[in-house]
Amino acid sequence: MAHLKIRVYPDPILKKIAAPLTDFGPKSQKLFEDMIETMYLDDGVGLAAPQVGASVRVLIASPTAKPGEEQVIVNPEILEESGREVDQEGCLSVPGLAVKVARAKKIRLRYQDRQGNSHEVLLKDFPARVIQHEMDHLNGILLIDRVPFDERQTLLAGYKVL
Ligand code: NI
């Protein structure tokens, strides 16, 4: 396993739409393992492949933050969503920024696991929020794109990377 470097805003890979993962061979298995290790070492509860420089539709989620309880989610699709809830989020790729983001409260998710088997699950509250945040990364969307324009200017004015 390896501790991968986290890509930070404004790295252009974070704005790309990631491609579906079709190969579940050793190279992808290594990516999953390295992403899991990196997420825990960097104290994240989720990590998307573009954040470590791989533009594929893979994310790791560990809403409990307990090693061993993480899930590898490949090619996720939200089939249904309901409710709306606003809560604070942070992101390893936009360090130091915490913003309130509205997300669906419940989602029905279809995804493939690390072997490529398909599953459908119902998620709600924090686990649903983690998945929605990480799925944004697969579509080139960052936290800063989720706040209203005027708020975004104020947030970015104080953001050192720019
Ligand atoms: Ni993030």
Side-chain angles (χ1 to χ4, degrees):
M1 293 210 279
H3 187 187
L4 304 171
K5 184 175 174 279
I6 303 275
R7 303 295 184 96
V8 169
Y9 176 83
D11 190 314
I13 200 167
L14 297 170
K15 297 304 293 173
K16 276 181 68 176
I17 302 211
L21 188 83
T22 50
D23 166 26
F24 292 80
K27 213 178 134 192
S28 294
Q29 299 300 323
K30 181 169 179 354
L31 174 67
F32 304 155
E33 290 304 319
D34 288 348
M35 284 177 66
I36 291 168
E37 181 172 24
T38 302
M39 180 187 67
Y40 287 123
L41 286 172
D42 290 335
D43 294 323
V45 291
L47 186 68
Q51 293 182 276
V52 293
S55 197
V56 285
R57 303 187 82 78
V58 172
L59 62 90
I60 311 293
S62 182
T64 60
K66 286 190 190 136
E69 293 188 2
E70 69 281 345
Q71 277 198 298
V72 177
I73 308 277
V74 181
N75 301 327
E77 257 182 282
I78 292 176
L79 303 174
E80 270 174 59
E81 57 173 57
S82 63
R84 210 83 192 140
E85 209 164 48
V86 175
D87 206 349
Q88 191 143 293
E89 293 183 13
C91 179
L92 295 174
S93 292
V94 199
L97 197 73
V99 294
K100 289 194 166 169
V101 187
R103 303 281 187 195
K105 196 171 159 55
K106 285 185 197 168
I107 58 171
R108 194 153 67 86
L109 184 75
R110 179 190 289 155
Y111 68 97
Q112 286 169 279
D113 62 24
R114 61 177 95 189
Q115 277 81 40
N117 300 314
S118 289
H119 301 272
E120 250 183 62
V121 285
L122 275 168
L123 294 169
K124 59 176 186 162
D125 302 324
F126 190 60
R129 176 171 294 272
V130 172
I131 297 287
Q132 290 172 83
H133 176 112
E134 301 311 330
M135 281 183 73
D136 269 358
H137 281 297
L138 306 183
N139 295 320
I141 298 167
L142 289 172
L143 272 189
I144 42 179
D145 302 311
R146 290 282 183 198
V147 294
F149 183 78
D150 52 333
E151 270 178 61
R152 194 182 313 159
Q153 300 315 304
T154 318
L155 286 169
L156 292 180
Y159 193 65
K160 298 275 180 350
V161 168
L162 277 184

